Amino acid sequence: MDTQRLSIRGRILEPDDPALQEALAAVYETPERPRCLCVPGGVEMYVAFHRSYLAKRMPDTGSQHHPACPSFEPSPQQSGLGELVGDAVVEAEGAIELRVDFAWNRQVRGRAPGLRSDDDPGEVEAPRRRMSLRALTHFLFERAGFNRWSPAMAGKRSQGVLHKYLQRAAEHVRAKGVVLAERLYVPEQFNEATHAEAAQRRRERLGVLRPHDGVAPLAMALAEFKAAEACPGGYRIWLKHMPDAPLLASAKTWERIARTYAAVLEARDADHGQRVRAVITALIRARREHTYEIDTATLLLASDQWIPVEGVHGAAATVTTRVCSLSARPRPGFAGLTCVRAGRTASACSTDWCSAAVNLRSTRRCPRPWPKCVRQAWPRHCTRLACRPRT
């Protein structure tokens, strides 16, 4: 299902229908709701206005849509968001507020504005779940729709598409009072003819990094990792589609990153017959004007089609599947691939085998125990606690 049909006041409209904007405007800010016709009876939507009128899904209704519908989203309990929704992720109509475990500023000198003195005890808050930089990366990929796949998408996920939809996904998301789109930078697709203009737009967007009042603001750079090059004073971290502006890191910082994410970097360079991407998300600051230094960073693997995966076997599953369209959703507690055709995880699929790779690290049970274990190792000799595709 590549398009979404809407029922508005008895009229059935396609996304490219010239009358759609007028119909949405007629029910904007009224009690009437458009209905998505992806399932019998339809699912209620609401109308938002962001440069144009849009029909958006109601909160907590993603799982009611057809799995192939653009508005479909597995229930939070399936995706791993269940433990974050309402705590680290607060959603209202048209906006999302995230509680993250990192700050948007670093102190340059003296005491940062607003900090309490030592003799002021302040308040005591109950502990809350907060979203890490890595979890925020997964959240953006999911919100942008890159966790979903269908054969019609083959060859269409370019850097330009990644830039467009990740920036759009951050538009109505706030983290610690900051609109995420104002701090997110995803490189534009490199083009020699328009490179100078793209570089100027990058400098304008990252102008937010200028220190002021003793505080150094941070921004979030998200791109495909290309290489790390030793240089005097540390390392240059090169990102694809950003050939003229490397990120800088001290030797100690990069060595920690390389050690922590050694498995990601090794998988990227392994001879496994499938292209995988190492995606880096970094909080950056400007020690000097237009010089970008890494403050915090995380890396994750993605398939050639930009679907986040747990490992190379997950990447292979997204291209070798014969019966399923897959949606990769790595999450703490449950990380795996969800079949978007049947709307269920591989562990709940009645098919004899599924090419979805399911990792249940937080549990002690395998979704495909002996004798169906495709690794032929469960339970006595399996150390990965994972079910991977047949070969």
Side-chain angles (χ1 to χ4, degrees):
M1 182 181 297
D2 297 325
T3 61
Q4 184 177 45
R5 295 186 307 142
L6 298 174
S7 174
I8 305 174
R9 290 183 172 177
R11 299 174 61 189
I12 298 177
L13 301 169
E14 301 281 348
D16 57 353
D17 194 313
L20 179 60
Q21 284 294 304
E22 181 182 350
L24 291 174
V27 297
Y28 181 58
E29 294 185 337
T30 72
E32 297 181 76
R33 302 280 186 188
R35 298 189 75 85
C36 175
L37 300 179
C38 61
V39 294
V43 183
E44 282 194 346
M45 310 277 281
Y46 74 93
V47 180
F49 182 78
H50 308 300
R51 296 190 295 269
S52 62
Y53 291 100
L54 303 172
K56 306 187 74 173
R57 70 166 178 262
M58 299 283 287
D60 303 321
T61 63
S63 60
Q64 297 177 23
H65 290 263
H66 189 277
C69 176
S71 294
F72 172 77
E73 183 179 53
S75 66
Q77 289 70 28
Q78 278 190 320
S79 68
L81 277 175
E83 58 189 34
L84 298 177
V85 171
D87 207 356
V89 181
V90 181
E91 184 174 1
E93 287 192 9
I96 294 178
E97 180 73 31
L98 303 179
R99 295 189 177 101
V100 295
D101 66 359
F102 54 85
W104 285 118
N105 300 291
R106 288 287 184 266
Q107 185 177 347
V108 176
R109 60 182 182 277
R111 181 179 295 275
L115 291 183
R116 293 189 291 264
S117 61
D118 294 337
D119 57 354
D120 181 5
E123 302 84 17
V124 177
E125 294 184 356
R128 292 176 174 175
R129 294 184 183 274
R130 296 184 182 274
M131 187 173 282
S132 67
L133 186 61
R134 184 180 180 84
L136 178 55
T137 305
H138 281 297
F139 177 84
L140 283 175
F141 268 75
E142 173 186 326
R143 187 168 166 82
F146 292 120
N147 63 319
R148 305 189 61 176
W149 175 253
S150 70
M153 299 176 186
K156 297 180 180 178
R157 288 189 173 178
S158 63
Q159 180 68 24
V161 171
L162 188 80
H163 166 84
K164 175 182 177 180
Y165 287 99
L166 285 178
Q167 293 285 170
R168 180 181 294 180
E171 283 183 353
H172 303 287
V173 177
R174 301 179 68 89
K176 290 194 171 179
V178 174
V179 178
L180 189 57
E182 297 176 358
R183 298 294 182 99
L184 174 66
Y185 175 71
V186 181
E188 298 180 35
Q189 184 158 340
F190 181 78
N191 186 317
E192 189 68 43
T194 59
H195 172 59
E197 292 85 350
Q200 180 60 30
R201 287 191 291 270
R202 180 187 65 232
R203 287 188 286 271
E204 291 173 358
R205 176 169 286 273
L206 295 180
V208 70
L209 296 178
R210 295 189 189 94
H212 58 85
D213 300 325
V215 173
L218 302 181
M220 179 177 167
L222 194 162
E224 183 178 357
F225 171 78
K226 184 176 182 180
E229 174 190 13
C231 66
Y235 282 81
R236 295 188 184 98
I237 313 303
W238 295 99
L239 309 181
K240 291 197 174 181
H241 299 277
M242 203 166 138
D244 59 338
L247 305 184
L248 304 180
S250 66
K252 184 177 180 180
T253 298
W254 175 249
E255 287 165 5
R256 286 187 61 192
I257 294 172
R259 183 170 59 251
T260 302
Y261 298 104
V264 173
L265 298 174
E266 289 173 5
R268 170 179 172 266
D269 299 326
D271 181 19
H272 43 67
Q274 300 292 341
R275 181 187 178 188
V276 294
R277 306 174 188 268
V279 178
I280 183 170
T281 306
L283 294 178
I284 58 175
R285 56 183 173 178
R287 284 281 180 91
R288 291 172 293 279
E289 191 172 11
H290 304 310
T291 302
Y292 312 122
E293 182 181 32
I294 292 179
D295 179 90
T296 308
T298 184
L299 279 89
L300 58 88
L301 276 180
S303 71
D304 185 38
Q305 302 295 336
W306 293 102
I307 302 174
V309 294
E310 284 282 295
V312 294
H313 299 293
T318 64
V319 296
T320 61
T321 177
R322 300 194 301 270
V323 296
C324 297
S325 298
L326 301 177
S327 174
R329 305 174 64 83
R331 292 289 180 218
F334 178 88
L337 299 173
T338 302
C339 171
V340 298
R341 175 173 296 176
R344 55 186 175 237
T345 61
S347 58
C349 184
S350 60
T351 308
D352 181 59
W353 70 278
C354 177
S355 61
V358 180
N359 188 345
L360 301 177
R361 290 181 177 174
S362 67
T363 69
R364 295 301 305 178
R365 61 185 183 82
C366 178
R368 211 170 307 288
W370 188 269
K372 289 187 177 181
C373 174
V374 294
R375 299 188 71 236
Q376 299 296 301
W378 184 270
R380 289 172 295 175
H381 306 295
C382 181
T383 58
R384 291 173 57 87
L385 293 178
C387 174
R388 70 185 189 182
R390 290 180 185 271
T391 58

